[in-house]
Amino acid sequence: MGTNCLQYSYSPGEMSLPKNWPQVILVGHPNVGKSQLFNLLTGKQVLVSNYPGTTVELTRGKAKLEGMEVEIIDSPGLYSLSALSPEEQVTRLLLLKKRPALVIQVMDARNIQRMLSLTLELKEAGLPLMLVLNMMDEAEASGLKIDSALLSRRLGTPVVCTALVARRGLKQLKRVAAAALRQKSDKSGDAYVIPTYSPSLANILNKTASC
């Protein structure tokens, strides 16, 4: 296997994760609260693995969402699926090769417009997506008003508002994530519809597939 393909390696005696659990990947720009969400969902027992040939770390853990056991992966910060840094390439491989059951994009509620380009790329790639607008307390303190219901309708994606530092919105986040996973499971027998990609994203997907 080439050095550009993702592998995991663990030491004997480490916590194991069942292969049949739904996989949920947390993505987002750096410093939006993604790792804080991971810690709130998984607790202390986690696995850490390196991308082969690099020092890029991936953190995995167990979580329960409304009684549903899932695997959570805290991916490196990502600005775009076309990004070139080693960390972002690892996240891109996780998303486009492993095809998770759910992708949760964590966003800074104060800078939604700047982060929506990644949202559109994730949707265009056909990934099952949910948005978490974090730092809502700071957004509200600065006078920002966000209509999350309207945003959800426009994007066709579940949207949850949180202030994770105070655990605000965490219960709703779990409920919505569990509902999204169950909905995907219910549709698992439906005919697969091949999405249409822009030329730039199609090029990214082709390169990833050749890994």
Side-chain angles (χ1 to χ4, degrees):
M1 183 177 289
T3 57
N4 286 331
C5 289
L6 188 64
Q7 293 178 322
Y8 291 110
S9 59
Y10 309 109
S11 302
E14 283 188 321
M15 178 187 72
S16 62
L17 291 164
K19 293 182 179 180
N20 62 336
W21 280 11
Q23 193 173 73
V24 177
I25 297 182
L26 308 182
V27 303
H29 290 210
N31 305 313
V32 294
K34 180 170 53 64
S35 294
Q36 185 176 34
L37 175 58
F38 175 86
N39 292 333
L40 288 171
L41 292 175
T42 63
K44 297 180 179 178
Q45 195 176 20
V46 299
L47 288 171
V48 178
S49 59
N50 283 353
Y51 185 75
T54 76
T55 58
V56 179
E57 289 188 343
L58 295 173
T59 309
R60 307 165 67 205
K62 301 176 181 180
K64 274 194 175 184
L65 303 175
E66 296 289 293
M68 181 185 298
E69 293 181 309
V70 300
E71 174 188 352
I72 307 286
I73 297 180
D74 183 13
S75 67
L78 179 71
Y79 289 103
S80 169
L81 290 180
S82 61
L84 298 177
S85 76
E87 292 81 5
E88 290 171 310
Q89 288 181 35
V90 168
T91 299
R92 185 175 70 192
L93 284 170
L94 276 172
L95 294 169
L96 301 183
K97 295 206 73 172
K98 295 186 75 67
R99 308 302 295 187
L102 181 64
V103 176
I104 298 180
Q105 182 188 357
V106 184
M107 307 171 73
D108 181 344
R110 301 168 299 178
N111 295 289
I112 294 176
Q113 189 171 2
R114 182 166 61 90
M115 301 181 180
L116 278 177
S117 58
L118 174 59
T119 308
L120 298 178
E121 286 183 345
L122 294 170
K123 285 185 64 63
E124 188 181 5
L127 292 162
L129 183 63
M130 168 182 167
L131 299 184
V132 173
L133 307 184
N134 193 31
M135 306 181 190
M136 280 297 299
D137 52 341
E138 297 182 32
E140 291 164 351
S142 64
L144 287 176
K145 294 183 178 179
I146 300 171
D147 189 336
S148 59
L150 177 60
L151 181 63
S152 177
R153 289 195 300 272
R154 293 280 177 86
L155 294 174
T157 300
V159 177
V160 175
C161 296
T162 66
L164 293 174
V165 67
R167 302 176 69 96
R168 172 180 157 193
L170 185 60
K171 288 184 178 180
Q172 183 190 10
L173 185 156
K174 291 180 179 180
R175 285 196 300 269
V176 173
L181 287 167
R182 291 193 179 100
Q183 184 179 37
K184 184 176 187 296
S185 178
D186 291 342
K187 293 181 177 179
S188 60
D190 294 349
Y192 177 67
V193 179
I194 300 175
T196 302
Y197 306 118
S198 65
S200 59
L201 184 55
N203 185 47
I204 293 170
L205 293 169
N206 288 336
K207 288 180 180 179
T208 304
S210 66
C211 175

